[in-house]
Amino acid sequence: MTKIKDVVVTGVSTGIGLETTRLLILNGYRVFGSVRKQTDADRLRKEMGDRYVPLIMDVTDADAIQRASEEVGAMLGSNRLAALVNNAGIVVSGPLLHLRPSEFRRQLEANMIGPMMVTQAFAPLLGTDNNRTGPMGRIVNISSTVAKVVPPLLGAYAASKWGLEGMSEALRRELMLFGIDLVIIEPGAVNTALYDKGEKEDLSEFKSTPYWGAIENFRKYVVKEGRRGLPPERLAKTVYVALTAAKPKTRYAVVPQRFKNWTLPRLLPTRMVDDAIAKQMGLIRK
């Protein structure tokens, strides 16, 4: 019989993480999926069956991460973990001139430092521990197109994804020492609950700033783009390719309306892109 492969996926309660978990299980994997609430763990265990193992873990909680890695290690026995998918993350919105430093830190903790801590904790299971047996594991880090095409009013989020990509580039090369590969996936707009949360996000603290009109325009734009974005199942398929390809690309950009949203903004002069965004969002000096 073919041995079941084991994968850790963070942030599986909804969206990309949920659909990745579902696809991996359908293809014979066992998924250790992190959630923050016991109710989500119970719901997913009931839906997914025995091949889903819940990990109650916030990626900003070092103690919870360590407990989760020990739990997974015990269930693996002497075998290696096939893969780690760093998917969990949050979005903090607001103009940088008025964003509270605590909110900026919260963004970086979740999207940059969290994946680093998770990677450090699970690296021995992936192959840095020579006492384990089996093929070397693989890491997939879920970034965003905002790491390359940066919108206004999402500066904290963009900074976290730029940082995640820089960290991933260095880590991929450092992990060559062990034969562990790392792949970056850059999603564009994906139709997930994240956009519903964005629509309901309370940004009233910025109402007295000169940015309020632009914030209202941007919120409408982001929600509109999100609702016509790619289904999360599309991203799950890309994660599956990144995990299973014999020679995966170092990065995959998965973007709806790719020419308009990805290719063109990176070909045009930066000032021209600035002007177009300013007009669209109402960031024109009066």
Side-chain angles (χ1 to χ4, degrees):
M1 293 180 64
T2 302
K3 178 187 173 295
I4 295 174
K5 292 185 178 181
D6 296 298
V7 178
V8 170
V9 183
T10 65
V12 305
S13 60
T14 60
I16 297 171
L18 174 62
E19 296 305 327
T20 296
T21 298
R22 183 176 285 122
L23 181 61
L24 289 173
I25 289 174
L26 285 174
N27 282 276
Y29 287 76
R30 178 170 61 173
V31 177
F32 297 88
S34 81
V35 293
R36 291 184 294 175
K37 300 176 182 178
Q38 186 64 49
T39 52
D40 286 329
D42 296 339
R43 167 177 59 86
L44 293 175
R45 188 62 184 266
K46 183 177 180 180
E47 177 186 346
M48 304 287 184
D50 292 341
R51 285 197 174 179
Y52 168 70
V53 181
L55 300 175
I56 307 298
M57 180 183 85
D58 188 312
V59 298
T60 64
D61 184 337
D63 291 337
I65 293 169
Q66 186 59 38
R67 287 193 298 270
S69 69
E70 291 171 1
E71 178 183 347
V72 173
M75 292 188 70
L76 292 178
S78 62
N79 297 317
R80 290 194 175 106
L81 185 66
L84 166 65
V85 180
N86 282 309
N87 167 71
I90 63 172
V91 178
V92 172
S93 308
L96 289 170
L97 290 182
H98 301 278
L99 193 67
R100 283 174 282 144
S102 60
E103 284 295 276
F104 199 98
R105 290 191 189 97
R106 184 170 71 92
Q107 178 72 91
L108 298 185
E109 287 280 349
N111 290 13
M112 266 185 62
I113 300 173
M116 183 188 72
M117 292 195 299
V118 171
T119 300
Q120 289 175 338
F122 285 93
L125 306 184
L126 292 164
T128 64
D129 180 357
N130 290 327
N131 294 317
R132 291 188 170 272
T133 60
M136 292 299 180
R138 187 174 292 180
I139 299 170
V140 172
N141 284 344
I142 307 297
S143 181
S144 169
T145 55
V146 303
K148 298 290 196 307
V149 182
V150 182
L153 307 176
L154 284 179
Y157 181 64
S160 72
K161 293 301 186 180
W162 273 58
L164 177 67
E165 293 220 359
M167 181 175 69
S168 298
E169 288 283 301
L171 187 57
R172 186 182 66 251
R173 290 161 183 165
E174 292 174 6
L175 288 172
M176 292 173 72
L177 180 66
F178 302 99
I180 298 171
D181 198 9
L182 186 151
V183 179
I184 300 168
I185 294 179
E186 299 167 317
V190 182
N191 191 359
T192 69
L194 194 67
Y195 289 95
D196 294 328
K197 293 176 184 177
E199 187 177 27
K200 298 172 184 176
E201 185 180 6
D202 183 9
L203 298 174
S204 58
E205 65 180 290
F206 305 116
K207 201 166 187 176
S208 61
T209 75
Y211 290 99
W212 185 246
I215 288 170
E216 291 185 310
N217 292 336
F218 186 67
R219 194 203 299 263
K220 293 174 184 175
Y221 171 79
V222 167
V223 171
K224 181 180 177 183
E225 287 294 302
R227 287 179 177 162
R228 64 184 184 187
L230 296 171
E233 293 87 349
R234 174 68 179 80
L235 271 298
K237 290 178 181 177
T238 304
V239 174
Y240 185 74
V241 169
L243 291 179
T244 59
K247 294 183 178 180
K249 299 177 182 179
T250 57
R251 65 180 66 235
Y252 295 84
V254 189
V255 190
Q257 303 179 72
R258 188 181 180 91
F259 182 77
K260 177 177 78 75
N261 293 326
W262 182 246
T263 306
L264 191 60
R266 297 190 302 145
L267 288 176
L268 292 173
T270 303
R271 296 292 188 188
M272 186 179 293
V273 177
D274 289 350
D275 289 342
I277 291 174
K279 290 174 183 176
Q280 185 176 27
M281 297 300 161
L283 289 166
I284 303 295
R285 182 179 179 183
K286 297 178 181 178

